[in-house]
Amino acid sequence: TLTLAQEEAVNHMANGLIVIGTAGEVIYSNEEADRILNCLEQEEGKRELEDLKKLAEKQEYLFLDKCAAEDGEKHHTTEKCVYELALHDISKGENNYGQTLTMAEITDRYYYTERLQRDLRSKTREVVRIQRDIIGRFAAMIEARDGITGLHIKNTGNLVRVLVNVMAVDKRYRDIITLEYADMVAAAARLHDIGKIAIPLSILESTGRLSDKEMDIMKKHVEITDHVLKGIVDDDIREIAIRHHEKLDGSGYFRGLKGDELTRPQRIVAVADIISALYGKRSYKEAFAPDKIKAIIQADADNNKICPAVVDVAVKNMESIIRNFEKKKEAVLGTYMQIKKQENDIYEQFKGL
């Protein structure tokens, strides 16, 4: 009676069960296993037992278009029926008597997890969209207060994108720099100077050399940027944005970081910020020529101030970088001129009130 009960329980268990002998032959398979194998044969043709064992060993799933359950229903029109396979040895002491292969249907659990992951990816994209919207609003606020700084922020973001694109085709970086990597670094670059919104315009627009006191105030913009961004954007992006004035030898600000404490994205933004500042026209200087820019950043790299590897790419490709940067800068300048025109129009409408 006990033997019959055991046979009945095994034959009607929810999971498919195959008992495999020491020579690899099938000794026994229950009804559920037979249904699964029958469905598999109808969909893909006869599959060798070794193929199923390999799936189990690799912890890979078996997918069927139609469930092997007696009602044969599909879960959803876009979903397959999913089985998890497990292979176990039948042994006692040192003796091995074969193996068991179990096939458990996990369709609902599998797609529930997949749907969670899909929802997470969707929410992540939404967070990125919101962060980029915040970035754009910060830039617009700064432009409204100080157009030159606003242009520099956007131009540095564009210059980073151009520089990263050049690095992406360099054999030293092509396996490292992905589209997501480029997006992250460019997004951080567009935030690097937002702390200047709290710096007096008399300092930002000064046409002469800043005094020591004024320079100390100017340097505060990095700490202000850190304070503004904390809790709003991803920490990796925030750290890239606030480290553009750090130097490899530890002489930078505001933390005095050095060497390996500065990541590659942070080093890229630091180099791009210098190129953008040198190439851009400011209240206190004219734009520098590409050859002069190359000489300055090369000297900084030689003196262990900025990353030699990034500078090497920038110097070797400076003409191409400037050419592509100019294309992007024209678009930025056009947007800026539109904003200024709108400001003037609004002023004209309300100045008589």
Side-chain angles (χ1 to χ4, degrees), residues 122-293:
S122 176
K123 286 180 171 58
T124 300
R125 285 193 295 269
E126 178 64 11
V127 169
V128 170
R129 186 195 66 76
I130 291 170
Q131 288 184 343
R132 287 179 179 170
D133 184 55
I134 291 170
I135 289 169
R137 290 175 186 272
F138 273 131
M141 287 165 59
I142 294 169
E143 281 176 9
R145 180 172 183 265
D146 173 25
I148 298 299
T149 300
L151 281 175
H152 169 68
I153 289 173
K154 285 192 172 181
N155 284 336
T156 302
N158 287 334
L159 188 60
V160 163
R161 171 67 75 173
V162 172
L163 178 56
V164 169
N165 287 347
V166 171
M167 293 178 71
V169 297
D170 188 296
K171 63 182 180 182
R172 292 171 291 180
Y173 305 107
R174 65 171 62 124
D175 294 331
I176 300 170
I177 296 179
T178 61
L179 180 61
E180 291 78 12
Y181 185 104
D183 286 343
M184 176 186 68
V185 184
R190 287 192 287 272
L191 290 170
H192 80 289
D193 269 352
I194 64 166
K196 286 183 178 177
I197 197 166
I199 303 300
L201 283 176
S202 59
I203 293 177
L204 292 177
E205 297 178 348
S206 174
T207 56
R209 186 179 181 86
L210 297 180
S211 67
D212 290 344
K213 184 177 180 180
E214 288 173 327
M215 194 63 200
D216 287 340
I217 294 172
M218 176 67 90
K219 287 181 178 180
K220 288 290 183 183
H221 81 273
V222 185
E223 292 181 69
I224 296 167
T225 299
D226 184 32
H227 179 74
V228 170
L229 295 182
K230 195 168 289 183
I232 295 179
V233 300
D234 182 85
D235 282 344
D236 287 338
I237 291 178
R238 179 178 57 82
E239 288 294 338
I240 296 169
I242 66 174
R243 296 189 178 190
H244 59 287
H245 284 299
E246 302 287 356
K247 305 297 180 187
L248 294 180
D249 64 358
S251 64
Y253 61 91
F254 66 105
R255 293 177 179 158
L257 303 176
K258 61 183 178 180
D260 292 340
E261 293 177 295
L262 301 171
T263 66
R264 182 178 289 107
Q266 292 162 12
R267 297 177 183 208
I268 291 171
V269 173
V271 173
D273 181 51
I274 294 172
I275 296 173
S276 177
L278 294 175
Y279 189 67
K281 185 176 179 180
R282 298 295 186 90
S283 58
Y284 55 87
K285 63 173 275 296
E286 294 296 321
F288 286 9
D291 285 343
K292 188 171 183 179
I293 295 172

